[in-house]
Amino acid sequence: MTPRPPRFDTDALERTMASLAARLDRHRSELNRLNVYPVPDGDTGDNLSATLDSVLAHIGTAGPDGDVVDAVATGAVLGGRGSSGVILGQGLRGFVTNLPGDAGAADLAAALSAAAAAARDAIADPVEGTILTVADDAARQARSAASAGESLAGVARAAADEGWRSLARTPDLLPALARAGVVDAGGFGYVLFLDALAEAITGEERPHREPEAPVLQVTTVDDGSPAKQAGGRYEILCVLAADQDQLRVLRERWSDLGDTVAIAGTGDTWRGHVHTDDVVGALAAARQAGGVSGVEITDLLAPQDGRPAAERGLHPVAPDGSAVSIVAVAEGDALVAAYLEAGARRVVLGGITEKPSTGELLRVLDACASEVVVLPGDKDVLPAARRAAELAAVPARVVPADMLAGLLALEAVGPGLDGDADSGAAQLERASHRIRTARVQRAVRESETELGTVRVGEWLARGTAGLVAIGATAREALDAAAAALVGPGTTRALVAVDQEAPAPEDVVAGLRRAHPHVQWLRRRTNRPSCAYGIAVW
């Protein structure tokens, strides 16, 4: 009897994912150094490793009898970080969902072709010389090998070998790579996948290779570099619940507002990515498309290792211990944008209505290269923030400040923030302790309070220390809160106008008349389930 040729099964798929995760972790620093396109933010290695961490976590929770294919597909899409992670995640989803449970040579070639097509479909404006080209070339070689009668192992070897050759050609196709003297970082990540796949199938250790293009330590960024051409300073990642028609409109809207648009997923769950200068507009467009959750926003040009990105050059180096990254939790698109403008490195969308978990916060903290100070913004987020800080790979400290107090403290001391996480946290905590805040919300149930009976529909001004004021209207509660919080030594105050505020009105005019010695500021923050916020110092 002729022996049955080797096949690719779920055990081999698990070995592939575990091997890929190990390879990405081993080459993380190198991948970060190669990262010059589309933005030289030096985090491709971190992003790809985080994506595979999510894959392995989903495989682990699936259990011995779980659906490994579904675990890989879900983990790859929902765990995608950065444009490289979103693209690789979509490619992996395309690969596993088009691979039969007992695959042969032709099946493997077809699955690699599906992976390349899925990765390309994730991008609004595909560019050659990137991971997309490497995936296409490897799939083409796999199909050719299968058509020539190669075995499963032969197809896997052919795809991996062509992946390396294609990677070496990427600087010829993308001028940004040629200027920097590097190959594409995302493409390098993909050939590591191909190597892991070939090793899992053949049982043979793949030879250690280095990218053939020289890796130069570029120290300046000229005016023609991607850093100047990028469509936006801020990177937005989120999970979207939308259909294909809604996503098509969102792609167009995001392309108008920025670049590096990637949307990956399946069914009605998708991972979205965009670089933009208009955080508020991009988030509003996402909400118009459907449900939005798991929002993470990163300032791509925030200082790291003590210098702005434009001065660091194309390859950020490890921090020297003097830089502190601020990670904030904020709700309301305008408040998110305000935190970024005040100097936060990363912002997670959340608060009263959407509380990020310990795992979600840990994922963000571990993506930071330097020590971290966390501003959780709400007492209900504080336990998760503290636990994430304990587990983080970098030293992290938590400042338990109200969302408005944290923002104003950051605006006050951010430019002079120095030292390590302990020092940064101490500076922000001292500043936030001088700020008193309250949040005006509608009462949803009748209750007895220290200020008297509160009836449904009345408005409460609640501060960190408890109830500050009650009013029949939102404005009445705001005015009462101001009277309670403003003192003779108060010099400045902020009024935040949120989603449930009445029709547009000049809320500051009356407060100025009542408290003429105070400099009043007004900011439209659009927090949900809230009419106004007030902060005085």
Side-chain angles (χ1 to χ4, degrees):
M1 179 180 293
T2 303
R4 185 170 179 266
R7 312 287 286 183
F8 187 80
D9 56 16
T10 54
D11 287 341
L13 176 58
E14 286 194 53
R15 292 197 303 274
T16 299
M17 294 299 107
S19 177
L20 174 56
R23 281 172 158 81
L24 290 171
D25 190 59
R26 190 162 59 246
H27 291 279
R28 183 191 296 242
S29 296
E30 185 177 8
L31 285 159
N32 285 343
R33 289 196 305 273
L34 291 172
N35 178 199
V36 303
Y37 183 86
V39 174
D41 47 356
D43 62 358
T44 293
D46 299 333
N47 291 338
L48 294 181
S49 289
T51 303
L52 262 294
D53 287 346
S54 174
V55 170
L56 295 186
H58 278 76
I59 292 175
T61 56
D65 300 322
D67 188 337
V68 175
V69 168
D70 182 67
V72 173
T74 302
V77 170
L78 296 184
R81 176 183 287 282
S83 59
S84 56
V86 171
I87 297 167
L88 178 64
Q90 183 75 335
L92 292 177
R93 187 196 71 81
F95 176 73
V96 299
T97 55
N98 285 278
L99 194 69
D102 192 20
D107 298 321
L108 180 65
L112 287 171
S113 297
R120 190 168 287 270
D121 287 345
I123 302 301
D125 188 16
V127 174
E128 300 307 322
T130 64
I131 182 176
L132 304 180
T133 305
V134 175
D136 281 344
D137 289 347
R140 190 177 302 110
Q141 190 64 30
R143 292 194 300 272
S144 177
S147 297
E150 286 283 356
S151 65
L152 177 70
V155 170
R157 291 191 196 98
D161 290 342
E162 180 58 25
W164 281 101
R165 289 190 290 270
S166 177
L167 178 66
R169 295 192 293 267
T170 56
D172 298 331
L173 301 175
L174 192 54
L177 302 179
R179 283 197 304 271
V182 300
V183 295
D184 181 63
F188 185 26
Y190 198 82
V191 298
L192 294 178
F193 158 61
L194 296 171
D195 268 355
L197 178 65
E199 193 170 288
I201 289 173
T202 64
E204 304 164 354
E205 185 175 348
R206 292 287 294 172
H208 177 75
R209 304 191 195 189
E210 296 293 339
E212 294 182 20
V215 179
L216 305 180
Q217 277 299 110
V218 180
T219 57
T220 60
V221 179
D222 62 35
D223 288 341
S225 75
K228 299 296 184 182
Q229 296 172 348
R233 172 170 180 161
Y234 303 108
E235 175 187 66
I236 298 178
L237 276 170
C238 62
V239 177
L240 301 160
D243 61 30
Q244 292 285 357
D245 290 338
Q246 293 166 323
L247 292 174
R248 190 176 303 111
V249 174
L250 178 59
R251 284 180 190 272
E252 294 174 357
R253 183 65 181 133
W254 273 3
S255 295
D256 290 340
L257 294 172
D259 69 3
T260 322
V261 177
I263 299 177
T266 184
D268 60 358
T269 302
W270 301 81
R271 187 77 164 160
H273 174 278
V274 64
H275 290 170
T276 181
D277 286 325
D278 187 356
V279 170
V280 175
L283 289 175
R287 290 196 177 84
Q288 289 171 1
V292 180
S293 61
V295 178
E296 302 171 22
I297 305 170
T298 302
D299 183 349
L300 298 174
L301 297 182
Q304 295 181 44
D305 71 340
R307 292 172 292 159
E311 297 175 8
R312 290 198 313 273
L314 295 176
H315 301 296
V317 297
D320 59 11
S322 63
V324 177
S325 293
I326 304 298
V327 171
V329 179
E331 59 184 348
D333 300 348
L335 194 57
V336 169
Y339 263 104
L340 291 166
E341 291 168 3
R345 166 69 174 162
R346 297 177 187 269
V347 178
V348 179
L349 196 65
I352 289 180
T353 57
E354 182 181 351
K355 301 173 182 63
S357 67
T358 297
E360 290 169 332
L361 291 173
L362 181 60
R363 165 189 163 109
V364 175
L365 298 189
D366 283 348
C368 295
S370 63
E371 298 192 13
V372 178
V373 175
V374 185
L375 294 169
D378 186 85
K379 61 181 177 61
D380 289 337
V381 181
L382 192 54
R386 284 176 168 156
R387 182 58 178 154
E390 292 173 0
L391 299 173
V394 295
R397 299 293 179 267
V398 178
V399 176
D402 167 272
M403 210 167 284
L404 290 183
L407 171 63
L408 298 180
L410 184 58
E411 289 179 338
V413 306
L417 203 62
D418 56 16
D420 57 13
D422 286 329
S423 174
Q427 293 175 67
L428 286 169
E429 195 153 2
R430 283 194 300 270
S432 66
H433 282 167
R434 297 196 298 267
I435 300 166
R436 291 175 294 165
T437 65
R439 180 178 180 130
V440 177
Q441 296 173 283
R442 192 189 301 270
V444 296
R445 64 179 62 87
E446 184 169 319
S447 60
E448 293 296 327
T449 73
E450 62 270 30
L451 298 183
T453 301
V454 175
R455 294 175 175 78
V456 176
E458 289 186 315
W459 291 85
L460 313 177
R462 189 178 300 279
T464 53
L467 194 62
V468 174
I470 303 172
T473 66
R475 276 302 307 275
E476 187 177 307
L478 175 64
D479 291 341
L485 295 178
V486 171
T490 301
T491 57
R492 302 179 70 199
L494 168 69
V495 175
V497 182
D498 295 305
Q499 281 186 7
E500 293 191 15
E505 54 185 317
D506 188 357
V507 297
V508 168
L511 294 171
R512 283 177 178 151
R513 288 192 296 270
H515 311 279
H517 65 290
V518 177
Q519 179 187 357
W520 288 92
L521 308 174
R522 178 184 182 275
R523 192 189 291 272
R524 183 85 199 186
T525 47
N526 277 344
R527 292 177 296 175
S529 305
C530 182
Y532 298 110
I534 183 171
V536 305
W537 68 102

